[in-house]
Amino acid sequence: MVFKPASWPRKLRSAQWFGGTSRDHIYHRSWMKNQGLPDDLFDGRPVIGICNTWSQLTPCNAHLRDLAERVKHGIYEAGGFPVEFPVFSTGESTLRPTAMMFRNLASMDVEEAIRGTPLDGVVLLVGCDKTTPSLLMGAASVNLPAIAVTGGPMLNGWFQGERVGSGTHLWKFSEAVKAGEMTQEEFLEAEVAMSRSPGTCNTMGTASSMASMTEALGMALSGNAAIPAVDSRRRVMAHLSGRRIVQMVKDDLKPSDILTREAFENAIRTNGAIGGSTNAVIHLLAIAGRIGVDITLDDWDKVGRDIPTIVNLMPSGKYLMEEFFYAGGLPVVIKRLGEAGVLHRDTTTVAGETIWDQVKDAKNWNEDVILPVEKALTKQGGIAVLKGNLAPKGAVLKPSAASPHLLQHKGRAVVFEDIDDYKARINDDALDIDETCIMVMKNCGPKGYPGLSEVGNMGLPPKVLKKGITDMVRISDARMSGTAYGTVVLHTSPEAAAGGPLAVVQNGDMIELDVPNRRLHLDISDQELKARLDEWVPTHEVPESGYAKLFHDHVQGADTGADFDFLIGCRGSDVPKDSH
Ligand code: FES
């Protein structure tokens, strides 16, 4: 049987590898054929990469091989040629010092893997927190047709007759043990009750928020975000996405057609409506930077400020993602934004239709899960961006997860120089602290930790917890898990390790938090602040080699998305030179 290359009806990108009879074309095809691939797969049909973050070390994505098979069915059906490949998978619960340190590395892996191989389009299989932004960032920098399929959330956790939310109850139970309200044995028993099926965190944590952002941006098919991982409809979603990407290649529908400023504004408003994670701020800024859309931290406040939080999910509310799906999921929320006149209805989605066309027929099946506006969890949801002499470039707080009585608060600073200092002293009953104080932690930002860790929701001191107090104002340059809650000021920029004013806060300083007026103020004079900053010397450990050094030297502030300076921008899909 002699293979005769077809007439290549349309010169796809992959034709530069497979579309001819030269020695190099034969070389590229021949080696691929060692996998048992028939000739006609090389006849000029779109070659679709399935970029898979499957890994047993990313337990939330451990079921993605099955979904990849479903995607392949869809690609074959639509006349495409699927090729699955692995990329660095950033497992939130396992990777140290923090998965965030590797988001940019994973995005580089994705970008180069797509650009350097014979792909015409790509399906992004994602789920756990950083896997979603890293793949979107990498794909945006290449700008080939791309569609995301998220892995879906775990089923509800249940323990002692109550819903148990991923992460949210880990923090709650841990504090309850410290306060003497729960035994250690019960805590151990709850371990498996929190994670009883494949999938991502079942709260509106970072994974669910980023799945929702992906859908609101238009980068996934409508309804994708909430389908539980084990629901048969998750497989259907993967199947349909496989079909769809082939047509997207034929139509040349690229991320730059979808990821417009209006799409980002839709996503920011959606994040307010779902009570989404503060991590979405950083990731959306980074994705926007890759595709060249000018979205700033201030836009998060301006665009999202007046959006009520109507999704009654933990950590802000009561239910979990499974119930969100049964209630109608994200299309209902986006439809509400459209009806309220705060949705750009005509943004394009991967479906080739506008976002409004995708959601206009959505129905709410449970008004206790997706609430009417008059019963909103918070009238002004979204993300509050705070500015002041303590955060000249901004800091963020999630009002829906905060205690209303602490949103305007002045207190005495109790300062921890870094996470180790915090861990060493927080349980000491001799620590001079009470519930009116403000806990301040330094050196947990991008350069300081390094990696911008999720330690901003510092647990309260046991002596305060024992009084029945469950929240205090906390300020740091860290991030916070999307599953966490509290009156927690995060991402304070510039970070302490970069010489931001946070670095010179001292024990006993008074700090003023005023969320309604978006103010974060260190109550010392300008002269005193300048004198302290002039004397400041960095105290964090600076990595000397390896990826940690690359990260430290090139990472940007949280206020702009914490991307590497040299990665910002779209470098396109031009085929690299061949060395053979
Ligand atoms: Fe992976 Fe929450 S830890 S989704």
Side-chain angles (χ1 to χ4, degrees), residues 60 92 128-129 200-201 207:
C60 319
E92 196 66 30
C128 194
D129 299 16
T200 53
C201 287

Side-chain angles (χ1 to χ4, degrees), residues 91-93 95 97-101 128-130 167 170-171 201 205-207 210 277-280 282-283 419 422-423 441 444-446 449-459 476-484 488 490-491:
E92 196 66 30
S93 57
L95 199 50
T98 162
M100 181 63 189
M101 185 159 153
C128 194
D129 299 16
K130 307 303 174 295
L170 186 68
W171 325 127
C201 287
T206 303
M210 287 310 299
S277 167
T278 46
N279 285 322
I282 295 180
H283 299 323
I419 185 69
Y422 163 78
K423 285 182 178 166
M441 184 161 60
C444 293
Y449 198 74
L452 189 49
S453 63
E454 286 189 339
V455 293
N457 57 314
M458 294 165 258
S476 73
D477 46 11
R479 292 178 304 120
M480 168 172 92
S481 165
T483 62
V488 186
L490 302 155
H491 316 169

Side-chain angles (χ1 to χ4, degrees), residues 167-194:
T168 303
H169 275 82
L170 186 68
W171 325 127
K172 276 203 170 117
F173 290 162
S174 163
E175 305 258 286
V177 170
K178 277 201 231 170
E181 293 162 1
M182 184 180 202
T183 65
Q184 183 63 29
E185 288 66 36
E186 285 176 308
F187 195 11
L188 285 168
E189 212 183 310
E191 186 176 296
V192 72
M194 293 181 208

Side-chain angles (χ1 to χ4, degrees), residues 50-95:
I50 303 172
C51 184
N52 200 343
T53 52
W54 168 86
S55 164
Q56 285 189 292
L57 288 169
T58 305
C60 319
N61 294 17
H63 60 301
L64 293 187
R65 274 178 156 176
D66 173 57
L67 283 189
E69 292 306 312
R70 306 292 162 162
V71 172
K72 283 180 199 171
H73 289 320
I75 293 170
Y76 279 127
E77 273 177 14
F81 171 10
V83 279
E84 182 185 352
F85 62 99
V87 287
F88 184 20
S89 185
T90 48
E92 196 66 30
S93 57
T94 42
L95 199 50

Side-chain angles (χ1 to χ4, degrees), residues 358-378:
Q358 293 271 289
V359 303
K360 64 180 190 297
D361 298 324
K363 289 192 177 52
N364 185 1
W365 301 107
N366 189 334
E367 292 225 330
D368 197 38
V369 176
I370 305 173
L371 302 163
V373 173
E374 50 291 359
K375 290 192 184 163
L377 294 181
T378 312

Side-chain angles (χ1 to χ4, degrees), residues 1 17 49 109 117 120 156 170 213 264 285 290 294 308 356 365 371 377 404 410 475 483 512 545 560 565 574:
M1 183 171 63
W17 280 263
D109 178 356
T117 52
D120 301 307
N156 281 7
L170 186 68
M213 294 298 88
F264 281 96
L285 289 171
R290 294 299 185 93
D294 182 23
W356 182 247
W365 301 107
L371 302 163
L377 294 181
K410 190 167 183 174
I475 300 173
T483 62
E512 200 186 326
S545 64
T560 57
D565 49 8
D574 283 355

